[in-house]
Amino acid sequence: MRQLMKGFGIALLMSGGSALANDSVMAEIGKPQQWAIQTGDYANSRYSSLDQINRDNVKDMRVAWTFSTGVLRGHEGSPLVIGDIMYVHTPFPNNVYALDLNDGGKILWKYTPQQDPNVIAVMCCDTVYRGVAYADGMILLHQADTTLVALDAKTGAEKWKIKTGDPAIGETNTATVLPVKDKVIVGVSGGEYGVRGRVTAYSLADGKELWKAYSTGPDAEMLVDPEKTTHLGKPIGKDSSLSSWEGDQWKIGGGTTWGWYSYDPELNLIYYGTGNPSTWNPGQRPGDNKWSMTIMARDADTGMAKWFYQMTPHDEWDYDGVNEMILTNQTIDGKDRKLLTHFDRNGIGYTLDRETGELLVAKKYDPAVNWTTGVDMDPNSETYGRPAVVAQYSTEQNGEDTNSTGICPSALGTKDQQPAAFSPKTNMFYVPTNHVCMDYEPFRVAYTAGQPYVGATLSMYPAPNSHGGMGNFIAWDNTTGEIKWSLPEQFSVWSGALATAGDVVFYGTLEGYLKAVDAETGAELYKFKTPSGIIGNVMTYEHAGKQYIGVLSGVGGWAGIGLAAGLTNPSEGLGAVGGYAALSDYTALGGQLTVFELP
Amino acid sequence: MRQLMKGFGIALLMSGGSALANDSVMAEIGKPQQWAIQTGDYANSRYSSLDQINRDNVKDMRVAWTFSTGVLRGHEGSPLVIGDIMYVHTPFPNNVYALDLNDGGKILWKYTPQQDPNVIAVMCCDTVYRGVAYADGMILLHQADTTLVALDAKTGAEKWKIKTGDPAIGETNTATVLPVKDKVIVGVSGGEYGVRGRVTAYSLADGKELWKAYSTGPDAEMLVDPEKTTHLGKPIGKDSSLSSWEGDQWKIGGGTTWGWYSYDPELNLIYYGTGNPSTWNPGQRPGDNKWSMTIMARDADTGMAKWFYQMTPHDEWDYDGVNEMILTNQTIDGKDRKLLTHFDRNGIGYTLDRETGELLVAKKYDPAVNWTTGVDMDPNSETYGRPAVVAQYSTEQNGEDTNSTGICPSALGTKDQQPAAFSPKTNMFYVPTNHVCMDYEPFRVAYTAGQPYVGATLSMYPAPNSHGGMGNFIAWDNTTGEIKWSLPEQFSVWSGALATAGDVVFYGTLEGYLKAVDAETGAELYKFKTPSGIIGNVMTYEHAGKQYIGVLSGVGGWAGIGLAAGLTNPSEGLGAVGGYAALSDYTALGGQLTVFELP
Ligand SMILES: O=C(O)c1cc(C(=O)O)c2c(n1)C(=O)C(=O)c1cc(C(=O)O)[nH]c1-2
Ligand SMILES: O=C(O)c1cc(C(=O)O)c2c(n1)C(=O)C(=O)c1cc(C(=O)O)[nH]c1-2
């Protein structure tokens, strides 16, 4: 069983994938003993074929070893394991450790970037970093200040170093990069600072810029073909973005690209989503604000867009569309299809044909979602593919300086950056979710470069008339759009899930528990209180014939910003401080790796 | 077995100890399920009668739960357990957490002092704190800035708060306090800033000062009786301190009191040691520099000194005499005696009669010690009780601006603050030691209040011609002055030991391992890599019928100052940075509690 396909990586590799993808990345992902990419595989499935730890014995799991990163605040992402080396990253200042798994985790090398700490002030949602990437014998570190460094994986020596953005105008980085073929694909953060989102491809060999595709603006700068790039099967047409904004607003219009990236080597397409339009005051930016809040499929070589799908036109709630795209080959309506599944901040779980961008399923993955009655699925309708907005929860219709109350989900979304996992054994998706609602009061704001460009006051609280908690961990059927089971959690589940061939699904909680549940039933099989709240993603690897489970602790992220940044005023942290105030009864700041094993 | 005596606490309590000691402290120490005082008991024995975890099953130990303190840098001391609550402290800013052991370590209250961070600059050896104390329903917190706060143990509410020193002239605190009867006994740090050492007793009820005993100066201020206070059986005589200094030098002469305190309820005597004379340049301060480097026995009610023993007259190496005094009742030379055993920085293990101050044994506890040929044990000799100094290693004889090389031990001593443990079952002492030598070059320095008053440049390295490591963990027979066994360690063992009735001895290493060894043979039975280097002291407690072992990780202290303070120049950190440079290959900063259990 151990050599079962990992996503679709192995199969491809064996069918002569050398012309596709990046050979070294594919080769390393192909070894199930390793965790060679933050997302588990190019498909973002976060599934491991390792099965030593299984639903029967996981109850006996114990801590094998631990490692303090030496840094506090939110620890997102996970370590990588390549060969006998584990690579551990930290939030700002984005240190990287190479640990020798053959020598008790001895530190082989440490890389400590010297960054101007002023960048912290322009990071919206904690000093998080979703982890390093590996390609061609290099560790790719994308720092908070947008410095992208390629390090020799064996020695930690710098190979090349470039700058991908400018923190002086609010451009920062929190995302991992995606190495594809001879390129590395890079996003940008700063939607709360009016940054103009884009994706850039640099040469893996020397960091030279190869193509750049903005989320907004003129067609040429977006790398779209008005005739060939489609939206729900139709060409997007000329100036699709420009015509959806007032005047020059697209220049400070957000649509940043701080989430996860997927890649389909056969189609040679990369997939990712764009973030919220800036500002959060919708009245200030009439139009659909294209292409914010959009799933994008682009050619990996040229960056040219194949298709877009805008989930939340003219966002009124900060429902960034950047969550991961999980690529699977499944049967739907009796047909084998290449699917893309995406759990959006807006509370809708989307299933699309990833070749064509056809919308197949769009269903709420939390029954609390109330801002929309649902997505129009009629291809012949004027509003095909658009969510129907409930007037009561429309912050635009209620207007500036009016507090729209009881909106579900909150701006954090039904899910934020915390990635879901897919098990090909159960054909289910395992989704860490938020069960949080909000009041949202937009106000007029002026743009100043490098200053917050937010324009709304928020407060957050657990979904009313529910279980009282702020999260659920759910199993989802993407072909029918159904919740299979749902585990209530006191706080949002801000940690990424891991599914394994052992029929176990792992996730972490904001209080700090690592939990293992039965992949079929959701029954809790194991839990352990790690040092600090978990917002990292659970990973697994095998070393010297033994399977391990690893996870970073270190409370923070947007949900934990109160603890992370020492804020106590409920409306601070863009409204999250009040909502998660009770977290301080359970955990304190940290920064630790905990590795588990069977005895 | 579980109710076996804990030091001599229980026995006393049962024989009507209520007029002696502090009732509440004695009562809480008397419950072997608890860890009610940093030192395990008043006798500083760090022995627990718990025996669920024993030499046979300790190999099966696993991590039960963990807690991140939210603070980095050196974590000395240990949590306390009183009833169902665990109290966890941090280094500066000296936060205190009360954790509910009945509710998965939920935080019942948190106390976060607001201290001026400038105090960090006048802490010689990291921002460590050796932990809170308990008495009369209060948690006693002595902050780095010398604020002493009494907190309601149930709620964390401040009951009273006083200032015991002045950081502006280099007075700081790192030590735990000793609650005795209706008083709390408090020391001071700052020997590297010319602080005048003293011990002060405050009222437990309201923090009012009750007595104060300086280490140096006029008899009245030292609370000595020239006729009744003895040194090796003879009265110390009038102006014993004044006459041992040139002019007013005693006013800036050090002799600080930053170590551990013991108390014998029957004799009503407290015991502690005084630190180095300031400056480190011995040529600048002729004389014996009394009473620096001295073991002191004082009446707990009045502070009056019963006896002194100066171990290192006219110190030339910074061998502070502050290490713990372990009080035992043992048979020596066929006689039952009340003993005091002390492992001094200077490399000599002393055994004294704690009633009279008679010197019984003085032997090197590391064969590497070379600055002295030994202590004169002839009561009729002129130099009775004095160590014979080897001229080659006399930094005074070699003179100012001369580098004296190859001195063993280094200024860190053969042991520093890391406390030893005593098992009444084996009658052995378990001693964490340093195996480090040094070069020492004194230079002339002028005193400026609040500025370093050091006057020597040091470099440190592993003891030459030995096992290459910088530490040993040894078993010691205090009646004969013999090393029973010695376990080589790569780095100094900077963690406090714990001995248990399960015939297991625990200690931590600077790389971060918690180790369990056989109390008889020293054979290693278990080890586990905690998140960061351990300089905390191992403790044990029982909750809901189950025994736990707890230890704080968080590398730092003098040995770990390079990592803790981010120093890399080898001569920084008073010479420790170079010596321990390799530590950064093994561990990074942290601040975590790890609690162990049997499955
Ligand atoms: O618009 C942006 O550029 C941007 C960036 C980030 C980020 O980089 O972390 C977040 C968000 N938005 C955001 O809306 C959000 O909810 C969020 C949560 C987190 C996190 O890591 O917990 N980051 C971000
Ligand atoms: O003379 C003093 O007042 C003083 C204070 C301290 C301290 O407060 O920690 C140390 C020392 N000296 C000292 O000599 C020393 O070796 C030392 C080690 C440590 C430590 O916690 O690791 N503190 C201190």
Side-chain angles (χ1 to χ4, degrees):
Chain A
M1 264 314 265
R2 229 185 265 151
Q3 290 290 336
L4 195 105
M5 74 158 196
K6 181 146 184 181
F8 44 65
I10 293 271
L12 250 185
L13 194 74
M14 294 194 298
S15 66
S18 66
L20 308 165
N22 176 297
D23 283 347
S24 75
V25 176
M26 290 299 273
E28 301 304 338
I29 291 177
K31 298 173 193 156
Q33 298 79 5
Q34 307 197 143
W35 196 258
I37 188 168
Q38 290 293 330
T39 49
D41 52 32
Y42 268 141
N44 246 294
S45 60
R46 304 191 54 73
Y47 173 78
S48 168
S49 59
L50 298 183
D51 61 1
Q52 257 180 34
I53 297 173
N54 62 40
R55 64 153 67 96
D56 297 321
N57 61 24
V58 67
K59 66 178 187 313
D60 300 322
M61 224 168 55
R62 65 178 186 190
V63 181
W65 58 280
T66 56
F67 177 75
S68 176
T69 68
V71 176
L72 300 175
R73 302 192 63 161
H75 281 59
E76 291 183 351
S78 77
L80 299 184
V81 170
I82 316 271
D84 295 329
I85 304 184
M86 176 183 280
Y87 300 93
V88 181
H89 69 279
T90 76
F92 181 92
N94 306 125
N95 297 333
V96 183
Y97 296 91
L99 306 184
D100 187 349
L101 295 176
N102 289 330
D103 191 3
K106 194 179 164 183
I107 301 169
L108 290 170
W109 55 259
K110 179 181 176 185
Y111 183 78
T112 53
Q114 299 307 314
Q115 291 184 72
D116 184 341
N118 283 330
V119 72
I120 295 172
V122 287
M123 300 185 79
C124 72
C125 309
D126 200 8
T127 54
V128 294
Y129 176 42
R130 293 180 203 92
V132 295
Y134 171 89
D136 298 349
M138 298 183 294
I139 293 296
L140 299 161
L141 166 68
H142 198 188
Q143 301 173 191
D145 68 359
T146 75
T147 304
L148 174 62
V149 201
L151 301 169
D152 185 298
K154 290 268 176 270
T155 66
E158 283 179 15
K159 299 202 127 186
W160 51 260
K161 186 151 122 176
I162 58 161
K163 201 84 197 236
T164 73
D166 181 4
I169 58 168
E171 294 177 349
T172 58
N173 181 68
T174 60
T176 188
V177 298
L178 181 77
V180 173
K181 295 181 162 179
D182 57 343
K183 300 183 182 62
V184 48
I185 313 287
V186 164
V188 71
S189 294
E192 280 59 59
Y193 297 82
V195 165
R196 185 175 168 214
R198 75 262 173 179
V199 159
T200 316
Y202 298 92
S203 160
L204 264 178
D206 56 11
K208 218 177 77 174
E209 185 178 316
L210 299 176
W211 56 255
K212 177 177 259 162
Y214 283 94
S215 305
T216 60
D219 293 345
E221 295 183 12
M222 288 203 307
L223 303 191
V224 295
D225 181 329
E227 304 310 318
K228 295 208 186 119
T229 303
T230 61
H231 185 258
L232 295 173
K234 302 213 174 102
I236 57 169
K238 201 166 152 343
D239 292 338
S240 59
S241 172
L242 294 180
S243 62
S244 73
W245 293 89
E246 210 169 70
D248 271 0
Q249 284 185 339
W250 54 269
K251 290 189 176 166
I252 52 166
T256 51
T257 49
W258 58 275
W260 302 98
Y261 292 76
S262 308
Y263 175 60
D264 181 331
E266 275 183 10
L267 298 175
N268 196 36
L269 291 175
I270 59 163
Y271 301 93
Y272 64 96
T274 61
N276 63 289
S278 316
T279 115
W280 289 13
N281 178 2
Q284 257 180 273
R285 44 166 172 76
D288 272 357
N289 309 135
K290 287 175 181 165
W291 292 97
S292 69
M293 306 305 212
T294 297
I295 301 177
M296 301 196 161
R298 293 185 180 276
D299 183 276
D301 295 321
T302 63
M304 278 302 290
K306 176 140 194 240
W307 58 261
F308 288 166
Y309 171 55
Q310 191 182 37
M311 295 166 288
T312 315
H314 189 64
D315 168 64
E316 312 171 40
W317 313 269
D318 187 43
Y319 294 150
D320 297 49
V322 305
N323 293 350
E324 74 286 359
M325 314 293 160
I326 305 178
L327 315 185
T328 57
N329 297 341
Q330 285 172 279
T331 310
I332 188 165
D333 294 333
K335 257 177 74 178
D336 283 351
R337 281 188 106 147
K338 293 179 195 288
L339 300 181
L340 176 156
T341 300
H342 168 79
F343 300 93
D344 198 58
R345 282 262 279 271
N346 71 15
I348 296 168
Y350 297 91
T351 310
L352 293 95
D353 182 306
R354 73 170 172 275
E355 201 162 353
T356 62
E358 181 186 348
L359 182 60
L360 304 173
V361 178
K363 285 271 166 76
K364 297 180 183 181
Y365 62 100
D366 181 351
V369 174
N370 66 9
W371 69 275
T372 178
T373 50
V375 176
D376 186 342
M377 299 299 284
D378 177 4
N380 301 318
S381 163
E382 270 291 283
T383 56
Y384 175 43
R386 291 179 84 98
V389 174
V390 175
Q392 180 187 353
Y393 303 116
S394 166
T395 71
E396 158 112 29
Q397 294 175 49
N398 294 333
E400 255 174 35
D401 303 321
T402 300
N403 197 13
S404 296
T405 60
I407 306 170
C408 306
S410 79
L412 306 152
T414 301
K415 195 180 84 60
D416 201 287
Q417 60 77 34
Q418 58 271 38
F422 169 73
S423 166
K425 284 186 73 180
T426 62
N427 269 305
M428 288 205 275
F429 290 76
Y430 303 96
V431 196
T433 74
N434 310 322
H435 195 52
V436 182
C437 302
M438 70 174 166
D439 304 341
Y440 189 114
E441 182 170 334
F443 60 84
R444 194 142 287 258
V445 65
Y447 173 81
T448 310
Q451 295 301 313
Y453 186 51
V454 175
T457 307
L458 276 64
S459 82
M460 301 182 187
Y461 38 83
N465 309 318
S466 185
H467 55 71
M470 300 175 81
N472 291 297
F473 187 75
I474 71 166
W476 175 259
D477 181 333
N478 68 327
T479 59
T480 59
E482 276 168 14
I483 297 172
K484 290 307 206 179
W485 44 254
S486 178
L487 311 176
E489 283 286 350
Q490 179 167 4
F491 297 101
S492 296
V493 186
W494 212 262
S495 141
L498 169 73
T500 72
D503 301 308
V504 187
V505 178
F506 298 89
Y507 67 99
T509 75
L510 276 175
E511 303 103 299
Y513 285 101
L514 174 89
K515 293 191 175 179
V517 301
D518 187 303
E520 285 293 345
T521 65
E524 185 173 299
L525 303 172
Y526 175 80
K527 72 171 178 177
F528 176 86
K529 184 98 190 258
T530 70
S532 178
I534 301 180
I535 64 170
N537 305 330
V538 190
M539 52 79 77
T540 187
Y541 67 98
E542 184 180 306
H543 185 254
K546 191 164 185 178
Q547 185 184 357
Y548 295 89
I549 304 289
V551 72
L552 286 170
S553 304
V555 74
W558 191 4
I561 189 68
L563 275 170
L567 309 173
T568 50
N569 182 328
S571 68
E572 282 182 302
L574 304 171
V577 172
Y580 294 83
L583 243 191
S584 66
D585 294 344
Y586 293 89
T587 193
L589 293 194
Q592 300 90 10
L593 171 70
T594 307
V595 178
F596 299 84
E597 65 179 358
L598 291 176
Chain B
M1 265 315 264
R2 229 186 263 149
Q3 289 290 337
L4 196 104
M5 72 155 198
K6 182 144 184 181
F8 45 66
I10 293 272
L12 250 186
L13 194 75
M14 295 196 295
S15 65
S18 65
L20 307 166
N22 175 296
D23 283 347
S24 75
V25 176
M26 289 298 274
E28 301 304 339
I29 292 176
K31 298 173 192 156
Q33 298 80 6
Q34 308 196 142
W35 196 260
I37 188 167
Q38 290 294 330
T39 49
D41 52 31
Y42 270 141
N44 246 294
S45 60
R46 305 190 53 74
Y47 173 78
S48 168
S49 60
L50 298 183
D51 62 0
Q52 258 181 33
I53 297 171
N54 62 41
R55 64 153 67 96
D56 296 322
N57 61 23
V58 68
K59 66 178 187 314
D60 300 323
M61 224 169 54
R62 65 178 186 189
V63 180
W65 57 280
T66 55
F67 177 76
S68 175
T69 68
V71 176
L72 300 175
R73 303 192 62 160
H75 280 59
E76 291 184 350
S78 78
L80 299 184
V81 170
I82 316 272
D84 294 329
I85 304 183
M86 176 183 278
Y87 299 94
V88 181
H89 69 279
T90 76
F92 181 92
N94 306 125
N95 297 334
V96 183
Y97 297 91
L99 306 183
D100 187 350
L101 295 177
N102 289 330
D103 192 4
K106 194 180 164 185
I107 300 169
L108 291 170
W109 55 258
K110 178 180 176 186
Y111 183 78
T112 52
Q114 300 307 314
Q115 292 184 71
D116 184 342
N118 283 330
V119 70
I120 295 172
V122 286
M123 300 184 79
C124 73
C125 309
D126 200 8
T127 54
V128 295
Y129 176 41
R130 292 178 206 93
V132 294
Y134 171 89
D136 299 349
M138 299 181 297
I139 293 297
L140 299 161
L141 167 68
H142 198 187
Q143 301 172 190
D145 68 0
T146 75
T147 304
L148 175 62
V149 202
L151 301 169
D152 185 298
K154 290 269 177 266
T155 66
E158 284 180 13
K159 299 200 127 190
W160 51 259
K161 187 151 124 177
I162 58 163
K163 203 84 198 234
T164 74
D166 180 6
I169 58 169
E171 294 176 350
T172 59
N173 181 68
T174 60
T176 189
V177 298
L178 181 77
V180 172
K181 295 182 162 179
D182 57 343
K183 301 182 181 61
V184 48
I185 312 286
V186 164
V188 71
S189 293
E192 279 60 59
Y193 296 83
V195 165
R196 185 175 167 214
R198 76 263 171 177
V199 159
T200 315
Y202 299 92
S203 161
L204 263 178
D206 56 11
K208 219 178 75 172
E209 185 178 317
L210 298 175
W211 55 255
K212 177 177 258 162
Y214 283 95
S215 305
T216 60
D219 293 347
E221 295 181 12
M222 287 204 308
L223 302 191
V224 295
D225 181 331
E227 304 310 319
K228 295 208 187 119
T229 303
T230 61
H231 185 258
L232 295 174
K234 301 217 176 100
I236 58 170
K238 204 165 151 340
D239 292 339
S240 59
S241 172
L242 294 181
S243 62
S244 73
W245 292 90
E246 208 168 70
D248 272 359
Q249 284 185 338
W250 54 269
K251 290 188 175 167
I252 52 167
T256 50
T257 50
W258 58 275
W260 303 98
Y261 292 76
S262 308
Y263 175 60
D264 182 330
E266 275 182 10
L267 299 175
N268 196 37
L269 291 175
I270 58 164
Y271 301 92
Y272 64 97
T274 60
N276 63 290
S278 318
T279 118
W280 290 12
N281 177 3
Q284 257 178 274
R285 44 167 171 76
D288 271 357
N289 309 135
K290 288 175 181 164
W291 291 97
S292 68
M293 306 305 213
T294 297
I295 301 176
M296 300 199 162
R298 292 185 182 275
D299 183 277
D301 295 320
T302 63
M304 279 300 292
K306 178 140 192 239
W307 58 261
F308 288 166
Y309 170 56
Q310 191 181 38
M311 296 166 289
T312 314
H314 189 65
D315 167 66
E316 311 171 41
W317 313 269
D318 187 43
Y319 294 150
D320 298 48
V322 306
N323 293 352
E324 74 287 359
M325 315 293 159
I326 305 178
L327 314 185
T328 56
N329 297 340
Q330 286 173 278
T331 308
I332 187 165
D333 292 333
K335 257 176 73 179
D336 283 350
R337 281 187 106 149
K338 292 179 195 290
L339 300 181
L340 177 157
T341 300
H342 168 80
F343 301 92
D344 199 59
R345 284 261 280 269
N346 71 16
I348 295 167
Y350 296 92
T351 310
L352 293 94
D353 181 307
R354 73 172 172 272
E355 200 161 355
T356 62
E358 182 186 345
L359 183 60
L360 304 173
V361 177
K363 287 269 165 78
K364 297 180 184 181
Y365 62 101
D366 181 350
V369 174
N370 66 9
W371 68 277
T372 177
T373 50
V375 176
D376 185 342
M377 299 299 282
D378 177 3
N380 301 316
S381 162
E382 270 291 284
T383 56
Y384 175 42
R386 294 180 82 99
V389 174
V390 174
Q392 181 187 351
Y393 303 116
S394 166
T395 70
E396 158 111 30
Q397 294 175 50
N398 294 334
E400 255 174 32
D401 304 321
T402 302
N403 197 14
S404 295
T405 60
I407 307 170
C408 306
S410 79
L412 308 152
T414 300
K415 194 180 85 61
D416 201 287
Q417 60 78 34
Q418 58 273 38
F422 170 73
S423 166
K425 285 185 74 180
T426 61
N427 269 305
M428 287 205 275
F429 290 76
Y430 302 97
V431 195
T433 74
N434 311 321
H435 195 54
V436 182
C437 303
M438 69 174 168
D439 303 342
Y440 189 115
E441 182 169 334
F443 60 83
R444 193 142 290 255
V445 64
Y447 173 81
T448 309
Q451 294 301 314
Y453 186 52
V454 175
T457 307
L458 277 63
S459 81
M460 302 181 187
Y461 37 83
N465 309 316
S466 184
H467 55 71
M470 300 176 82
N472 292 297
F473 186 74
I474 70 165
W476 176 257
D477 181 334
N478 68 327
T479 60
T480 59
E482 277 167 17
I483 296 172
K484 290 307 207 178
W485 44 255
S486 179
L487 312 176
E489 284 285 351
Q490 181 168 3
F491 296 101
S492 295
V493 186
W494 211 263
S495 141
L498 169 73
T500 72
D503 301 309
V504 186
V505 177
F506 298 90
Y507 66 98
T509 74
L510 276 174
E511 302 103 301
Y513 285 102
L514 175 87
K515 293 192 174 179
V517 301
D518 186 303
E520 285 294 346
T521 64
E524 186 174 298
L525 304 173
Y526 175 81
K527 74 171 177 176
F528 177 86
K529 184 98 189 259
T530 71
S532 178
I534 300 180
I535 63 169
N537 305 329
V538 191
M539 51 81 76
T540 187
Y541 67 98
E542 185 181 306
H543 185 255
K546 191 163 185 179
Q547 184 184 357
Y548 296 89
I549 303 290
V551 73
L552 285 170
S553 304
V555 74
W558 191 4
I561 189 68
L563 275 171
L567 309 173
T568 48
N569 182 327
S571 68
E572 283 181 300
L574 304 170
V577 171
Y580 294 85
L583 243 191
S584 66
D585 294 344
Y586 294 89
T587 193
L589 292 195
Q592 300 91 8
L593 172 70
T594 307
V595 178
F596 299 83
E597 65 179 359
L598 291 176

